[in-house]
């Protein structure tokens, strides 16, 4: 769900900025740069916070930040000012920098001794599945809007709506992230 939330929007944020808001590709590149910086900064913070915070709390925090960031980024659909859209996408990156590594750490911590590689592989396959499904469904939304003669804005609203829904479900389910005590568990 975390992958669906972030990567669905990530696949369409530049199209949103160029195709709906009329920004240049260079201006849309600012959003890509900002999200990369924020993801890196919050991953650095997460690497220190993981010993003091529960995995569930970190995933919930990350998902909340992603949801807030997605909502603000989607405000470009109603011609919000660029500073709001760019700063919101920065916030979404902060959220992924917190939740993405935490989910991996929790997965590895719950693995039986000797099965860590299997768990990590499954985690990455699940993440890629979320990324692919979200991006594909976002594309379906854009294509359906185009086929119906609706503006690009309508198709992107569907893609960003899917991303936001996935982020909110991630917030709701974050409490289920636990590391089993015992061999390999923390």
């Amino acid at each position: 769900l975390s992958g669906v939330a972030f990567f669905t929007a990530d696949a369409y944020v530049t199209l949103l900025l160029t195709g709906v808001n009329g920004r240049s590709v260079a201006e849309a590149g600012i959003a890509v740069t900002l999200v990369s910086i924020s993801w890196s900064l919050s991953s650095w913070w997460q690497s220190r916070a993981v010993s003091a915070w529960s995995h569930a709390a970190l995933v919930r925090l990350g998902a909340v930040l992603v949801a807030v960031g997605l909502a603000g980024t989607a405000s470009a659909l109603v011609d919000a000012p660029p500073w709001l859209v760019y700063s919101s996408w920065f916030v979404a990156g902060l959220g992924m920098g917190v939740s993405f590594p935490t989910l991996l750490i929790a997965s590895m911590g719950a693995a039986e001794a000797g099965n860590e590689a299997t768990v990590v592989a499954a985690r990455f396959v699940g993440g890629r599945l979320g990324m692919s499904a979200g991006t594909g469904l976002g594309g379906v939304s854009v294509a359906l809007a185009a086929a119906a003669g609706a503006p690009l804005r309508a198709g992107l609203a569907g893609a960003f709506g899917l991303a936001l829904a996935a982020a909110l479900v991630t917030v709701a389910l974050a409490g289920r992230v636990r590391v089993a005590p015992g061999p390999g568990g923390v």
Side-chain angles (χ1 to χ4, degrees):
L1 288 169
S2 178
V4 171
F6 180 80
F7 291 110
T8 299
D10 188 54
Y12 297 101
V13 73
T14 53
L15 181 60
L16 172 68
L17 293 169
T18 58
V20 173
N21 292 139
R23 303 277 168 224
S24 69
V25 172
E27 288 173 305
I30 293 169
V32 174
T33 302
L34 288 173
V35 82
S36 298
I37 291 169
S38 65
W39 186 321
S40 298
L41 289 172
S42 61
S43 287
W44 174 82
W45 175 82
Q46 181 275 351
S47 71
R48 282 136 185 84
V50 72
S51 61
W53 291 52
S54 73
H55 293 135
L58 285 169
V59 171
R60 182 172 288 115
L61 171 63
V64 166
L65 290 170
V66 169
V68 168
L70 287 172
T73 303
S75 70
L77 292 165
V78 293
D79 299 321
W83 66 265
L84 176 62
V85 177
Y86 292 127
S87 61
S88 295
W89 195 231
F90 184 88
V91 170
L94 290 173
M96 282 304 282
V98 173
S99 62
F100 189 83
T102 304
L103 287 167
L104 181 58
I105 290 167
S107 298
M108 288 178 61
E112 299 269 334
N115 284 336
E116 295 89 355
T118 302
V119 171
V120 170
R123 167 69 185 92
F124 276 110
V125 168
R128 297 305 178 262
L129 180 60
M131 182 188 308
S132 301
T135 302
L137 290 171
V140 167
S141 178
V142 171
L144 287 174
L152 175 60
R153 184 180 312 259
L156 290 174
F160 276 84
L162 168 65
L164 184 57
L168 293 173
V169 172
T170 303
V171 171
L173 296 178
R176 296 180 53 91
V177 176
R178 292 196 176 86
V179 176
V186 226

